[in-house]
Amino acid sequence: MYEALIALSIVLGWLGVTIATGFYTSIKYRKKGAELWFVAGRKLGLLILWLSLGANIYSAYTFLGLPGYVIKEGAKVLAILVYGQLSYILAYLITPRIWSVAKERGYMTISDFFEDRYNSKLLGALTAIIGALFSIPYIQLQIQGVGYIIDVAGYGMLDPFISKLVAFGLIAIFTILGGMISVALINALQGALMLFAIWSIGLLVPFIHFGGISNLFNTIQNTKPELLTMTPNAVVWGVTTMIAASLGFWMWPNRMQGIFTAKSTGTVKRNSFLLSFFQISQIPVIIIGLTAAALIMIGKLALPTGPDGKPIYDYALMAVVRATFPSWIVGFIGAGAVAAAISTAAALLHTSGALFARNVYQKTFRRSADERQLMIAARIFTAIIALTALILAILSPRLIVYLLLTAYAGVTQFFPGVVLGAWTKENLRKPIVLGLIAGVVTVIITRGIMKDPLNIYGGFWGLIVNLVVVFLSRAILRKL
Amino acid sequence: MKARKLRLALILMPYTFIALLPVINVARISVFGIPFLWFWSFLWVVLITIIITILYLIEIREGRKGV
């Protein structure tokens, strides 16, 4: 009871501080209107942009998903660890071109790009809707993650259902409170806490429980060695995941917007360079996951179970922290992780709402819509996405990394259209539409219905089908 | 031209991680107490950051020359 009070009040107190900051900035910038809501008036300074991107890559997936995945799937987590870095290196290959095309034509969003480049309103609307559709699992994993943290910080006082509702409420508050400016400033506040939390527990926990890293690995080697190597199937899965997910990384509507709104292509490259340092912080997170796995194996740690009686792996990080440290530390770690999840969810919800308002509502249904109507449309759509994610989090919770990879598989399907659009002059409207639809359907089948058939990642399947359809239909259309 | 080739080589270098994954997938050998597969992966995460740092430095230098 006492412990729950301390931990929960630190989590909520920290959020209170960030909400106050958000409030202050949204009141200060309110008058600037819809333009601000969309791209923060195109005037994001480098520091704020960097922190905003940085906090964006830390989410419930980093804190909770990676450790949970280590326990469930072992060495497969290494593919997840590396693909992020591959994405940053890809930035040097693909973003300069995309940036200059966007600058030249004045694109603000990925849907602007598709619509104008391929001269197709359908593609504009389609990309907005597909982006939103696959942001649902991404939002869902944030809700689940925040729910787990609130649950652990409540020391069993709160029902998990209530925890998820609280999580949703927090995300809703943060999303409603302001445009990108306030989100970015909130992120700036949170970056330090997150870095500190990850490195301190990641370095301390294996020493406290096992006296060091090598003993930690020895314990796993002696109790569950299969966690430490990849089966041949896992290698195939890992390779296809690293390729497809790293290509998909920049296709997220919010990241694309980040490229389009950067002051120069040098800014994007500088961000990738700075962000790749953040990525190193995933190593201590994985170490925490390994520690949790070893503790479970020797019977010193138990994870909460779901309705089906199976352990919920994504509790691992918080469970280790709670088993190791006093409640005030649980509070601070929880606050950092909650903040990371909420900022990511809010940024993504913003982008999805804005995309819908501009590229579906305004361009397809209501050309005459004024700024106020656009804002309302954006908010209603944002609410629909968030509520859908909440319902899924309650009715059909999944492993966090599983949700992440489903979301990535979806947005990866934008890749052929973006690359062909930026590098060629040809108007491939029909092939791109067909390829995109085929890719998305393939992803739904290979992620939703089957589970990565033949151990090939669903996003990779989608990409292959997508590309084949693009080139086949191009060849056929040319012959007609 | 030379810088361009170097840059491409640097960008492609991390893909050796992917290419070599089936070969280095062993846990029995360990480095500093860390099974080799894990050590190799952690090492690459740091190496890629270093590669990106070099790429960025090349970028800045070329920017100064006005390329």
Side-chain angles (χ1 to χ4, degrees), chain A residues 171-183:
Chain A
I171 290 170
I173 291 171
F174 270 75
T175 312
I176 291 164
L177 273 183
M180 261 174 87
I181 283 273
S182 59
V183 174

Side-chain angles (χ1 to χ4, degrees), chain A residues 30-70:
Chain A
R30 176 167 291 161
K31 286 187 187 125
K32 299 201 176 158
E35 183 77 2
L36 189 79
W37 165 278
F38 290 127
V39 288
R42 281 194 182 270
K43 274 184 194 158
L44 282 177
L46 172 74
L47 182 69
I48 291 174
L49 184 69
W50 175 57
L51 287 168
S52 169
L53 281 169
N56 228 331
I57 64 157
Y58 279 147
S59 78
Y61 136 71
T62 329
F63 278 89
L64 308 181
L66 286 174
Y69 204 68
V70 173

Side-chain angles (χ1 to χ4, degrees), chain B:
Chain B
M1 203 59 215
K2 212 179 162 191
R4 208 177 173 154
K5 269 186 188 158
L6 174 67
R7 194 160 50 190
L8 195 65
L10 283 171
I11 290 174
L12 295 178
M13 215 198 275
Y15 289 88
T16 53
F17 172 85
I18 294 185
L20 291 178
L21 195 56
V23 187
I24 52 87
N25 182 20
V26 279
R28 266 171 299 142
I29 309 161
S30 67
V31 187
F32 305 121
I34 303 173
F36 191 72
L37 171 67
W38 295 73
F39 176 78
W40 171 259
S41 307
F42 293 166
L43 181 71
W44 266 105
V45 170
V46 178
L47 279 180
I48 295 175
T49 300
I50 294 170
I51 291 173
I52 294 177
T53 307
I54 298 169
L55 281 170
Y56 183 61
L57 291 176
I58 294 175
E59 199 73 30
I60 292 177
R61 258 181 113 183
E62 289 205 339
R64 281 211 194 107
K65 276 191 261 163
V67 175

